[in-house]
Amino acid sequence: MSDTRRRVKVYTLNEDRQWDDRGTGHVSSTFVERLKGISLLVRAESDGSLLLESKISPNTAYQKQQDTLIVWSEADNYDLALSFQEKAGCDEIWEKICQVQGKDPTLDITQDPIDESEEERFEEIPETSHLVELPPCELSRLEEIADLVTSVLSSPIRREKLALALMSEGYIKKLLGLFRVCEDLDNREGLHHLYEIVRGVLFLNKAALFEVMFSDDCIMDVVGCLEYDPALVQPKRHREFLTKTAKFKEVIPITDSELRQKIHQTYRVQYIQDIILPTPSVFEENFLSTLTSFIFFNKVEIVSMLQEDEKFLTEVFAQLTDEATEDCKRRELVNFVKEFCAFSQTLQPQNRDAFFKTLANLGILPALEIGMDDLQVRAAATDIFSYLVEFSPSMVREFVMQEPQQTDDDVLLINVVIKQMICDSDPELGGAVQLMGLLRTLIDPENMLASTNKTEKTEFLSFFYKYCMHVLTAPLLANTAHDNNSKDNFQTAQLLALILELLTFCVEHHTYHIKTYIMNKDLLRRVLVLMNSKHTFLALCALRFMRRIIGLKDEYYNRYIIKGNLFEPVINALLDNGTRYNLLNSAIIELFEFIKVEDVKSLIAHIVDNFYKALESIEYVQTFKGLKGRYEQEKDRKPLPRRYRRDARPLDEDEELWFNDDDDDDDGEAVEKSRMEEELSDSYGKYMEAKKGKLLRVECP
């Protein structure tokens, strides 16, 4: 079907009062035998599947909005909308709906849903009284008009009749003319009545009235009326803000006058809804649903118009990628793209995907690399980066892996994000928490594409640990450099807790890469320094990191813990906690309980041999006596040659890929890993000998 007049998008209103896009297709009206009536059918333009089948019911209230929208409710809490590509198609279907219902197609609504008592009253009203009689639009009658407008809000039928009367007599423009007279005369009483009138007209919730009130020649007078709230001693200065303070910046001149007008209108209407109008009560929540829809469809239209203007977006990105662009101009351009991305979040998934694909094709990621030494550009670029990661983590990963060939480690896009997280000035680290979630998405193997050769996971993790991990762990390593927590203020503790949360995630999901990093940097020892923090939440984060490592039951990790005597800070924390029954106490006990239940023999032997005297007095749980029991059982068995061997667990996918990527290098990889273990063993042997006399030994009280 090639008739563009009938091309529509189908929307449904979700529980959050947001419109969900159900697809694009072509609409027709035809008799459906199963429904026994004329129905609206929408078939998808992609595959011809049925997107909508809705019988035109005689009692359903249909509304036509903004010339290209038809909105109606099929049941309680189930609203539908058809958005037409062309006005002619909307008019054609509207006439068909009105024909079935026997209504006048020149009206923008067929009827309102009404309850039984209202319907009974309506039946008693003579046909001739189809409109509310409005008082003459005069200064002396403003109080009467205000009383009339506020009195009809509780009745759906009277609201509809008042709306028809206001439209048929051009009443709105006459009222706004009186506003200008009242303001010239400083007639406060009249201005207060006009506030009530305009607020009431907005609550009529009629798109046809909005079209008049929000037109260029009326909207500022509407804002002016809403400045004179009777509850305020002095009127607000909303018009002054909109005309003088709020400036519309065109980073690239917008030549389309309709687009510029739509942007201005949407900003002002959003300002009316968010700033001027008071928060609606429970009884008023649905009074402004059409206003929300008005803003929503305006935004959809603006994004579509900007996307279709290839010249505009091409010029934006040409200046963004031009090294010669001045700093102040670059800030404006990046901030424009950031606002554009934020704006797109109101769109439905299909529209949002198309939007980000357009930006990707125009080269959004390379554009973000330029000018990163500017603080404002860097902050805006980080926000844009977060939108792109949410859209397609794989696209971002593919781009950042190419960066080391062209730039220094310090200005890698992903490292800029990490530094933004580390340098967050918010005392509550709100931005850092958001960026931590972004990094987690990027390094999560679960959302990495399972291609035929399955290399994305291995390649990206190798890149991340080579170029980025040192930036992430820098604050942690700097703060624990001398075996003490050098900075223990609340903000630093929060930041270290976030870093530990990411590292714990890595332990769970990056088995081989993180294991190598922990061994090379002696990371667990540095993390356990934080067990001494005065902030219990940070000590718990450090303990959780160790708990995840032990939970893997990997003998490679176990040997590392034993050689480094890394249970010592944990047991010190338990004894320092004394008899307090708190979360730290429970978490430490659970760690040892896990070792006992899982019968991790090497760790049990190490704990009992080195720390049992300090722990045997703890009798409120049987954990430590149980550890001793397991230890004794193992000793009573027939002694076997004591030597460590590699655990028999199967290799994880990333380890297998790491070792088996190239069959010719298998022997070399095995030799390399063996050499690393030998070096680790030797270095720890020397370290322990040097440290032997200095280690704090736990003695039984």
Side-chain angles (χ1 to χ4, degrees), residues 220 237-249 267 271:
M220 295 311 289
R237 296 184 174 181
H238 297 301
R239 284 171 295 173
E240 183 178 326
F241 174 82
L242 289 172
T243 55
K244 296 180 180 177
T245 307
K247 296 296 183 184
F248 177 59
K249 288 186 177 180
Y267 176 78
Y271 183 87

Side-chain angles (χ1 to χ4, degrees), residues 453-495:
N453 56 7
K454 295 187 177 179
T455 59
E456 183 184 14
K457 179 178 175 181
T458 301
E459 287 178 1
F460 181 75
L461 292 181
S462 299
F463 160 83
F464 182 79
Y465 280 85
K466 181 177 181 180
Y467 294 104
C468 308
M469 185 57 105
H470 67 281
V471 182
L472 177 64
T473 57
L476 171 64
L477 297 176
N479 215 48
T480 57
H482 305 292
D483 285 348
N484 63 67
N485 194 6
S486 59
K487 276 175 138 184
D488 202 19
N489 58 64
F490 180 70
Q491 190 164 358
T492 301
Q494 276 193 307
L495 175 61

Side-chain angles (χ1 to χ4, degrees), residues 515-532:
K515 185 194 300 183
T516 305
Y517 191 83
I518 289 172
M519 301 298 176
N520 288 342
K521 298 292 183 183
D522 194 12
L523 190 62
L524 181 55
R525 176 183 302 282
R526 305 290 281 274
V527 167
L528 290 175
V529 169
L530 303 175
M531 291 294 296
N532 298 321

